[in-house]
Amino acid sequence: MDMTRQAVAEGFARFVDEAIDATADAFSVSRALRGGVRGPGGAVVDRLLKNATAIRRHVVEPELEVYRERTLSQFDVVLEYAKGQASIDEFAEEILSRDVYVRAMRPDLSRERRNRVREDLLDRQRRLGDAVEPLVNAPEETFWDAVCAELEVAEACEMVEEQFVFTGPLVAHRDAFRFTAELDVADVVGGFGRLFGGGTVVEVEYTDEALRAMRRAERAIVAQTTAEIERRVP
């Protein structure tokens, strides 16, 4: 990986890490559990609500780590597109295979709807690649040096505000996605969960809470990043 491309990757990774940390802080386990548990209800949900720290450890943190890994892995492919002259279509399958939203698409979507959503997701990554292309191909060796050399303040802020945000697909196609995680009740509440025998594994759907927490997080990190742009870029 050449120096400028690596610098852009590191700059994006920093943004992603800050957004994920902010999402974790904003995520409410109780909101996710209330109405989001599939499987045993009642007493189990009450016990789970009393073990929010364990749920963060068993569900929230692993899910956010998967999100981080897939987002950064996908961005590596987007950088390949941005660096070269090839069409985004040549990278389509590799980009979509790493997309967190493709992974979360509801299985009952029609083929037509699925294809339309995939096209929108690919176009989102194309726009991101086009936005960072001047930075990737700049001669500077650090992210901020490239930003200062290639972009005006307004252009850099627009890139962050429009291309570095993550919730666009979830807002545009809310009914197309379903974020879920399986949770072994016994892992969280210990012996109590074993009272349910083979029914200790429950499914938690957290789509609405993910959207709420991610939107709150991205607003904060976008504001923080654009403020940094205004300080750094002449």
Side-chain angles (χ1 to χ4, degrees), residues 140-173:
E140 287 72 23
E141 294 187 352
T142 72
F143 176 75
W144 285 110
D145 284 346
V147 171
C148 290
E150 299 297 325
L151 301 175
E152 302 290 338
V153 171
E155 292 175 317
C157 289
E158 182 180 2
M159 177 183 71
V160 171
E161 291 167 349
E162 296 188 3
Q163 308 306 331
F164 277 27
V165 295
F166 304 109
T167 59
L170 194 50
V171 173
H173 302 282

Side-chain angles (χ1 to χ4, degrees), residues 33 35-46 48 178 181-183 185 196 198-205:
L33 288 175
V37 175
R38 302 291 182 270
V44 171
V45 174
D46 290 342
L48 291 175
R178 188 168 181 263
E182 288 192 345
L183 175 64
V185 178
F196 294 91
T200 57
V201 176
V202 298
E203 181 186 76
V204 180
E205 178 177 351

